[in-house]
Amino acid sequence: MFGYRIKKQYRTKVRLSCMGCLTFVVLIITSICRCTCSSCSRPDTSTPHHLNTTSTHIVHLNDTLSNALSDQPELHAMDSIMRRYLKRWEINGAQLAISRHDSLLYARGFGFSDLSRQQPMEPSQIMRMASVSKLVTAVGIMKLRDMGKVRLTDKVFGPQGILNDTFYVNSIRDKRYFDITVEQLLRHKAGFTNYAGDPIFSTRYIMQQNHLTTPPDHRNLLRIVLRRHLGYTPGSMQRYCNIGYTLLSLIIEKRTGMSYEKFMQRYVLEPAGCFDFHIAGNYLKDRRPNETVYYMHSSSEPAQEFNNSGRLVERCYGENDITTALGAGAWTASAAELCRLVAAIDGDPTMPDVISPEAVRLMTQEMPDHQFSLGWNYTPNGRPWIRTGSLVGTSAIVLRYPDGECWVFITNTSTWKGHKFSKDTMALFEKLRKRFGSKLPKRNLFVK
């Protein structure tokens, strides 16, 4: 803080003939000092207005949360049930976060974040969220729609498409690529299939087939994919495929001139109060300071490293090029911050959303014939909106219920039954909601 001092030569030479003048000078100096002090202590007004709440301000959750905050005697029975559930599924560590009407009521870690060091899992730690990343990416696309930079009907490829580089256009052999729209990518209806392997998670085979010595970057990977024929006419059916959401990540980069990660952090995540979302690394050495260690289930065998090195690696650390997946499956976050993101895109008036009401409506409208929603798996009327994710070393599930509750669960261990884990977890949460819903503390850990 700057001070205001009258130089010594002026203190000795200046003589004021009027006490009123002296008083006037003192008042001016005092006012200047007060203004300076106020400017130093004034809150940062650059924070978007929707981060302010009626109580005080949004907190950086992962700097404030701990297991102790959710250690409530009336919930000890629920905590015990969760610990038994982890043991049954051979999960080393997990987080559960629960909000109601955009207020965080509960956030707790179970088991261990680092088994070898016996470090307990805390709610402030981050984990890979696998395909729950697609929900994040869909919000980014809808944000661009609100900004007037993307329409859902925009074509993706071709001279008039978003990704119109001749490098891509000249690679296309199947002219149906020129019919693919942004919305079709969001709904897994763009014609892509995994018949020749998932392009995002079959790097080693792509390298072998194309005689590559290093893993392809996004530009070369897309060129290789575009040489293939589509599995079906875009819009005629749906097939779940990761490449669509990696393409959406590249669309965000093309329309903004920013990296996908930086755009999402600056224009979606931070305005939503989520300050600890990051794109994951591939190896243990890439782990962030507050990131957990990942584990495979006991029957897992080592796998070939994705870069065709010939080395055998633990599957959760090197079998897949997770970083390259971008918005298809590469985000890391805590369950609590993921819960906070849902609060910013759910249309609940308790806390303003980061996308428009129309964008929320488009993302959450119920689709006929079990078609995919935008970013969400499914958003049925009168039942929970669902987003799941599963990848080597992690499983994640987001359930947003019609009564305003949101339950987010993330693990640091692969399960041995795959997608059955999500169904089992949903059934467990229904039981826990009925038994413990009224016992959850009435508070909001999102704010101080």
Side-chain angles (χ1 to χ4, degrees):
M1 176 164 39
F2 295 104
Y4 290 83
R5 181 178 296 174
I6 301 175
K7 293 183 178 180
K8 183 175 181 180
Q9 62 264 37
Y10 293 114
R11 293 202 307 268
T12 57
K13 294 181 179 180
V14 173
R15 297 292 185 270
L16 297 176
S17 59
C18 175
M19 183 61 69
C21 293
L22 178 60
T23 303
F24 179 75
V25 171
V26 171
L27 288 173
I28 291 295
I29 293 174
T30 303
S31 298
I32 292 173
C33 291
R34 285 176 178 172
C35 289
T36 304
C37 294
S38 298
S39 66
C40 291
S41 59
R42 188 181 298 122
D44 181 7
T45 57
S46 64
T47 303
H49 67 87
H50 56 262
L51 292 187
N52 296 325
T53 66
T54 54
S55 72
T56 52
H57 63 280
I58 294 294
V59 299
H60 287 215
L61 281 177
N62 293 349
D63 292 337
T64 63
L65 292 178
S66 68
N67 285 330
L69 290 175
S70 292
D71 187 10
Q72 308 284 331
E74 58 272 25
L75 297 177
H76 283 175
M78 185 176 82
D79 297 341
S80 296
I81 292 172
M82 290 302 302
R83 292 188 185 96
R84 290 197 299 271
Y85 189 70
L86 264 63
K87 184 176 182 180
R88 171 189 165 195
W89 283 93
E90 300 178 11
I91 294 171
N92 290 314
Q95 292 174 351
L96 173 62
I98 305 171
S99 68
R100 181 182 294 151
H101 294 301
D102 295 353
S103 296
L104 183 63
L105 311 181
Y106 177 96
R108 189 176 179 88
F110 298 93
F112 297 96
S113 64
D114 187 336
L115 190 60
S116 64
R117 298 183 179 181
Q118 292 290 290
Q119 291 181 347
M121 177 72 76
E122 288 284 345
S124 57
Q125 294 176 286
I126 63 175
M127 284 181 278
R128 298 171 184 167
M129 64 180 73
S131 283
V132 175
S133 300
K134 293 178 175 66
L135 178 60
V136 184
T137 302
V139 178
I141 291 293
M142 300 311 284
K143 185 66 176 181
L144 286 184
R145 177 189 174 277
D146 289 343
M147 297 166 71
K149 293 182 178 294
V150 164
R151 295 174 299 179
L152 298 186
T153 55
D154 282 346
K155 294 292 193 294
V156 177
F157 299 108
Q160 306 304 316
I162 299 173
L163 301 178
N164 57 4
D165 307 41
T166 55
F167 183 80
Y168 298 142
V169 175
N170 293 341
S171 301
I172 292 175
R173 299 173 182 176
D174 186 340
K175 301 304 179 184
R176 293 178 296 176
Y177 275 102
F178 298 130
D179 298 325
I180 295 175
T181 67
V182 171
E183 183 171 1
Q184 288 168 350
L185 292 178
L186 286 164
R187 296 194 189 279
H188 299 279
K189 301 179 74 172
F192 295 108
T193 67
N194 294 326
Y195 177 76
D198 187 330
I200 299 302
F201 296 117
S202 57
T203 306
R204 193 166 63 89
Y205 300 104
I206 288 175
M207 290 177 63
Q208 292 172 351
Q209 293 164 1
N210 294 272
H211 308 291
L212 302 177
T213 58
T214 59
D217 58 14
H218 289 119
R219 182 176 171 85
N220 285 299
L221 176 62
L222 183 52
R223 179 176 59 84
I224 292 169
V225 170
L226 292 177
R227 290 175 179 171
R228 301 176 179 177
H229 282 275
L230 290 172
Y232 58 91
T233 299
S236 65
M237 55 189 295
Q238 67 178 16
R239 286 290 183 272
Y240 192 93
C241 192
N242 287 298
I243 187 64
Y245 272 77
T246 302
L247 284 171
L248 290 167
S249 307
L250 300 181
I251 286 172
I252 289 173
E253 292 188 339
K254 183 69 179 291
R255 279 290 191 249
T256 64
M258 301 171 63
S259 74
Y260 166 75
E261 182 179 22
K262 290 301 181 185
F263 172 81
M264 294 300 301
Q265 289 170 336
R266 184 177 303 176
Y267 290 96
V268 175
L269 297 167
E270 291 175 6
C274 303
F275 299 94
D276 208 5
F277 271 65
H278 308 279
I279 295 296
N282 291 321
Y283 299 101
L284 182 62
K285 65 180 178 60
D286 301 323
R287 185 167 63 114
R288 289 182 171 271
N290 67 327
E291 187 175 358
T292 70
V293 177
Y294 303 103
Y295 302 92
M296 298 303 301
H297 53 83
S298 58
S299 61
S300 175
E301 297 289 339
Q304 293 281 337
E305 192 173 15
F306 76 88
N307 59 9
N308 217 20
S309 67
R311 291 189 294 267
L312 291 177
V313 296
E314 188 175 11
R315 294 184 62 197
C316 55
Y317 284 119
E319 182 189 24
N320 297 307
D321 188 0
I322 297 172
T323 304
T324 297
L326 288 180
W331 281 108
T332 62
S334 66
E337 280 212 339
L338 188 51
C339 209
R340 180 65 187 86
L341 177 63
V342 174
I345 61 170
D346 62 359
D348 190 310
T350 306
M351 189 170 286
D353 294 325
V354 295
I355 53 177
S356 67
E358 176 64 8
V360 174
R361 186 190 70 78
L362 289 170
M363 288 187 68
T364 59
Q365 62 183 346
E366 183 175 21
M367 300 300 296
D369 304 321
H370 215 57
Q371 295 181 52
F372 290 112
S373 298
L374 303 183
W376 294 93
N377 291 52
Y378 308 108
T379 51
N381 294 328
R383 289 179 291 162
W385 302 341
I386 304 168
R387 179 68 252 184
T388 60
S390 181
L391 188 63
V392 286
T394 189
S395 293
I397 184 168
V398 178
L399 295 169
R400 207 284 185 179
Y401 295 89
D403 62 5
E405 278 192 5
C406 179
W407 288 50
V408 177
F409 186 59
I410 311 178
T411 79
N412 68 355
T413 311
S414 289
T415 59
W416 42 271
K417 284 192 176 180
H419 295 296
K420 292 183 179 179
F421 176 70
S422 295
K423 294 181 179 179
D424 203 26
T425 302
M426 290 175 61
L428 172 67
F429 286 176
E430 287 290 351
K431 295 176 182 178
L432 295 179
R433 273 166 42 84
K434 291 178 181 178
R435 181 175 172 184
F436 298 101
S438 61
K439 299 179 181 180
L440 291 168
K442 293 178 174 60
R443 58 180 179 180
N444 188 4
L445 295 174
F446 284 144
V447 298
K448 284 184 178 179

